[in-house]
Amino acid sequence: MGRAGGRAVERVDYDRIAPTYDARYTENERSGTGAALCALVERRAARQVLEVGCGTGHWLQELQRAGTRRTKTSTPRSYDVLAYGLDLSRGMLRQAHARAPSLGIVRGRASELSFAGASFDLIYCVNAIHHFGQPRVFVSEACRTLRPGGTLAVIGMDPHGQADKWYVYRYFEGVYETDLRRFPPWGTVMDWMSKEGLVDVTCRVVEQFESDLVGRTVLEHPFLRKDSCSQLALLSDEAYAAGLRRIEAAIAEAEAAGREIAFPYEMSLAMISGQLPEGR
Ligand SMILES: C[S@@+](CC[C@H](N)C(=O)[O-])C[C@H]1O[C@@H](n2cnc3c(N)ncnc32)[C@H](O)[C@@H]1O
């Protein structure tokens, strides 16, 4: 679901969010994600790289910059990435092109990658697979377009069993249930990769956020703004306002009783990756 004139709808309107989307990276640079992607490029000596659901091109530019830093300090051209990004949102792609005109930008769907077979050394997606209409088909398409020996990496969260880890799940009605439907469990993504013939399929946490926001500090939390995360962006204005009221009532009740109230924000992002055997 996403917002249209304040109503809950099915999809987040990334065209509308695009101009302010990158604010999240000023609030938290997510260095674990960047480090994991750079390490993959380096370890696999990946040259032709595709991000599916690339959004504003933040991670692709990070890989390009890491490559430039490295080629200046080590073997010339040892880390020269040809970076391609595919996304469904014209608004997000406009931002990506403006930030790095050298990126190869393609508008399209994750379930129909418009590239020839065996085109890429590395295909990855970050915080995007839960938006894809057919995530299983995306994994299959990615495997078709990987070169033998190439790597597929999916970075994202898994809300299953995490209801008490994020205050948003408690105070905004229906958000947790919607996330359970949207996000494939990490184990399922691993199974999909294995069934496509990828080997060395692993899952490791690359990013961890852990804080207890005490009392009114929660009201300043950047991830409480409506457009800061898809969980809230999907809500109608009324449902969002009702969640805020529940938080404020809980704070007022705790203050009246003279006790402390803490709002948990604990989240892990994992990278699930696998490799296409050389012989394929
Ligand atoms: C949360 S953003 C992540 C953007 C970027 N990967 C990042 O981490 O900053 C999700 C992106 O997935 C894109 N998206 C949603 N559904 C898609 C689909 N079926 N095919 C390709 N991209 C899609 C959206 O347009 C949006 O740019």
Side-chain angles (χ1 to χ4, degrees):
M1 292 182 293
R3 199 173 68 134
R7 283 181 294 112
V9 290
E10 287 301 314
R11 297 205 164 271
V12 178
D13 182 356
Y14 277 105
D15 286 342
R16 188 177 63 76
I17 291 175
T20 54
Y21 179 84
D22 280 347
R24 67 186 58 201
Y25 295 118
T26 341
E27 278 139 14
N28 186 322
E29 66 178 33
R30 305 194 183 195
S31 53
T33 301
L37 290 173
C38 288
L40 266 188
V41 168
E42 203 159 339
R43 190 151 27 95
R44 315 294 333 164
R47 191 168 148 67
Q48 202 96 351
V49 172
L50 171 68
E51 179 175 352
V52 179
C54 66
T56 58
H58 177 85
W59 299 115
L60 288 168
Q61 190 183 38
E62 178 120 342
L63 289 182
Q64 283 187 323
R65 282 188 177 145
T68 311
R69 277 198 299 276
R70 222 179 129 64
T71 48
K72 275 187 186 146
T73 55
S74 64
T75 326
R77 308 189 74 73
S78 65
Y79 191 115
D80 205 354
V81 168
L82 291 176
Y84 294 83
L86 177 138
D87 201 283
L88 200 51
S89 157
R90 287 194 172 84
M92 295 294 261
L93 291 177
R94 216 172 288 127
Q95 300 289 327
H97 180 70
R99 91 175 322 137
S102 63
L103 295 176
I105 295 295
V106 177
R107 182 168 180 267
R109 273 179 203 282
S111 52
E112 298 161 33
L113 300 181
S114 49
F115 300 97
S119 295
F120 296 101
D121 304 305
L122 169 65
I123 298 178
Y124 69 91
C125 69
V126 181
N127 286 326
I129 196 166
H130 57 289
H131 291 288
F132 302 163
Q134 301 178 77
R136 173 71 182 84
V137 179
F138 154 68
V139 171
S140 167
E141 270 291 90
C143 292
R144 177 186 66 77
T145 40
L146 273 182
R147 289 180 177 148
T151 300
L152 171 62
V154 172
I155 295 180
M157 60 177 253
D158 179 356
H160 295 84
Q162 305 292 309
D164 56 344
K165 299 284 166 77
W166 188 13
Y167 65 89
V168 160
Y169 287 152
R170 172 160 184 192
Y171 290 94
F172 292 86
E173 226 165 68
V175 167
Y176 184 61
E177 292 69 23
T178 303
D179 268 9
L180 293 184
R181 283 195 299 275
R182 295 194 305 149
F183 285 81
W186 289 337
T188 300
V189 178
M190 293 178 81
D191 282 350
W192 290 344
M193 287 190 184
S194 298
K195 283 184 178 138
E196 286 298 325
L198 298 188
V199 295
D200 299 331
V201 176
T202 58
C203 175
R204 75 177 175 91
V205 170
V206 293
E207 205 88 64
Q208 217 150 9
F209 310 102
E210 213 170 320
S211 51
D212 260 346
L213 303 150
V214 177
R216 296 197 170 270
T217 58
V218 71
L219 301 173
E220 307 300 321
H221 192 219
F223 285 104
L224 191 52
R225 287 201 306 267
K226 191 156 192 314
D227 286 343
S228 64
C229 59
S230 63
Q231 284 78 8
L232 298 180
L234 289 171
L235 294 175
S236 67
D237 285 348
E238 293 70 25
Y240 175 66
L244 287 183
R245 279 198 301 277
R246 265 180 226 115
I247 290 177
E248 278 165 5
I251 296 171
E253 195 184 315
E255 284 174 348
R259 63 178 166 76
E260 191 177 90
I261 183 164
F263 296 85
Y265 176 62
E266 290 173 38
M267 191 181 294
S268 304
L269 299 185
M271 178 168 83
I272 299 157
S273 64
Q275 222 183 302
L276 202 62
E278 286 288 351
R280 264 187 55 166

